[in-house]
Amino acid sequence: MKQFISVDDVPSVPRLVEIALEYKKQPFKDKTLGQNKTLGMIFLNPSLRTRLSTQVAAKNLGMEVVVFNIDKEGWQLEMNDGAIMNGNTSEHVKEAAAVMGQYFDIMAIRTFPGLKDKESDYKEKYINQFVKYAGVPVLSLESATLHPLQSLTDVITIKERWQQPRKPKVVMTWAPHVKPLPQAVPNSFAQWINAWGEADFVITHPEGYELDPKFTGNAQIEYNQDKALEGADFVYVKNWSSYKDYGKITCTDSNWMVTNDKLKGTNQAKVMHCLPVRRNVVIADEVLDGPQSIVIPEAANRVWAAQAVLSQILKG
């Protein structure tokens, strides 16, 4: 792989999943692969699991890691080419990315959307400017529209827990939230499950929360949550703001929260969430603390997803 921005950068999703699970069994089998290489992790937004798991993964491969919270510690960046910089921005991404590309062998970038201008967010200007000017491979730690490391982790988690010959039924369900959230995680989850091709995939949400069809593909869309959950083997819970009425909350129905009662019609489905999660808003305590929740093992797999990706970039 030359970079890792979306599933389109991956030659084979099943093979990448296998590589990650091999690292889970033998974390240090390639402990010198990244020797004398440096990973620069650039954050324009906060992170817990993505930051820590990627650092651990890089360390397992022998890499040095530099973390830079550019939103708090760096100059305010100008992202627009041709800009007249007589405002608040002090440095252009052309120079900033190019300079960091001189320091690092791989750059990892995390940024979020503004949720104000759909066209701008979906052009992925921020991460694409780093790709354009860095001169080294770029790894997405989440962008305006996608979170590929999380989605690879999710596929890994489903794969390792499904041992039956039939395809699992995977349901991604919208849940309520107190503030508008990006579509990055659900977009990416849909994109990866479709590309993986080893699950029967259903997406359920209230009307008005349809995602961009280029990510949902041929997934079944069901507006009745109870009907969608029938016979589910895995339930992936996530909130997102409206794509159509961009960045808005158009439904606050608490009945969409995932509870034990909601899970009665499933095939004792395992419940997943990318975290952080608002307890008793998105998912009830009884579910998160119950036997069907696998959110902690799912989060643990973030290390192996990152290690698989870094190893393939290093080998490439």
Side-chain angles (χ1 to χ4, degrees):
M1 291 190 297
K2 302 298 183 185
Q3 63 179 20
F4 187 74
I5 308 300
S6 80
V7 75
D8 295 332
D9 296 311
V10 179
S12 169
V13 173
R15 178 55 188 146
L16 192 60
V17 170
E18 289 176 5
I19 291 168
L21 290 172
E22 288 167 8
Y23 279 126
K24 187 170 185 176
K25 293 177 181 176
Q26 295 179 283
F28 307 112
K29 70 187 185 83
D30 286 330
K31 63 183 180 180
T32 62
L33 180 63
Q35 190 172 13
N36 301 322
K37 301 289 184 181
T38 302
L39 172 67
M41 299 178 63
I42 314 301
F43 291 89
L44 284 80
N45 297 92
S47 176
L48 190 155
R49 278 150 294 277
T50 302
R51 173 173 172 167
L52 298 178
S53 61
T54 306
Q55 283 184 268
V56 172
K59 184 174 180 292
N60 288 348
L61 295 170
M63 298 188 77
E64 295 291 334
V65 181
V66 174
V67 177
F68 183 38
N69 296 300
I70 200 168
D71 60 322
K72 301 177 182 65
E73 302 164 345
W75 301 110
Q76 187 170 349
L77 294 183
E78 175 60 58
M79 291 292 178
N80 294 308
D81 291 337
I84 299 172
M85 292 175 56
N86 57 1
N88 294 328
T89 55
S90 303
E91 183 165 12
H92 201 284
V93 68
K94 281 187 178 183
E95 288 79 48
V99 166
M100 286 188 278
Q102 299 294 307
Y103 304 152
F104 307 132
D105 298 284
I106 301 174
M107 285 178 61
I109 314 293
R110 182 177 177 97
T111 183
F112 289 168
L115 289 180
K116 302 294 183 185
D117 184 337
K118 178 164 66 176
E119 182 179 1
S120 176
D121 286 344
Y122 273 70
K123 283 182 178 177
E124 291 283 15
K125 180 191 295 181
Y126 277 41
I127 199 162
N128 283 334
Q129 289 289 66
F130 277 94
V131 170
K132 183 177 179 180
Y133 295 118
V136 296
V138 173
L139 185 159
S140 173
L141 300 175
E142 189 171 3
S143 65
T145 68
L146 293 171
H147 196 347
L149 276 179
Q150 177 64 54
S151 301
L152 172 56
T153 299
D154 300 330
V155 175
I156 292 165
T157 304
I158 294 169
K159 175 67 175 179
E160 73 174 343
R161 289 175 177 271
W162 188 251
Q163 306 299 327
Q164 299 187 37
R166 68 173 176 87
K167 288 183 176 181
K169 180 180 179 180
V170 177
V171 179
M172 179 170 70
T173 179
W174 180 92
H177 203 278
V178 297
K179 65 178 184 178
L181 295 183
Q183 296 103 36
V185 169
N187 281 347
S188 197
F189 184 78
Q191 185 186 54
W192 280 74
I193 293 294
N194 286 331
W196 182 39
E198 296 185 18
D200 292 326
F201 185 37
V202 180
I203 303 173
T204 183
H205 54 70
E207 292 190 38
Y209 278 92
E210 295 80 7
L211 295 164
D212 187 338
K214 74 180 181 183
F215 298 121
T216 57
N218 294 323
Q220 179 186 341
I221 309 299
E222 174 57 63
Y223 298 113
N224 184 316
Q225 187 188 39
D226 291 332
K227 183 177 179 181
L229 293 175
E230 289 178 5
D233 299 297
F234 295 88
V235 177
Y236 195 86
V237 189
K238 188 69 182 81
N239 172 268
W240 60 89
S241 59
S242 175
Y243 172 74
K244 182 179 179 181
D245 192 6
Y246 192 63
K248 301 293 192 297
I249 295 176
T250 60
C251 177
T252 57
D253 186 355
S254 62
N255 287 325
W256 280 80
M257 179 178 70
V258 174
T259 63
N260 278 342
D261 189 58
K262 289 282 184 181
L263 297 174
K264 286 181 179 178
T266 70
N267 185 29
Q268 296 184 321
K270 298 302 182 184
V271 177
M272 304 172 67
H273 190 283
C274 62
L275 302 180
V277 61
R278 299 254 183 169
R279 283 176 171 259
N280 303 310
V281 175
V282 177
I283 306 177
D285 278 346
E286 62 186 12
V287 175
L288 282 168
D289 298 329
Q292 288 173 253
S293 172
I294 56 171
V295 298
I296 301 304
E298 176 188 4
N301 280 340
R302 293 295 304 273
V303 172
W304 319 119
Q307 192 162 339
V309 170
L310 285 169
S311 72
Q312 297 311 291
I313 293 176
L314 287 167
K315 289 177 180 179

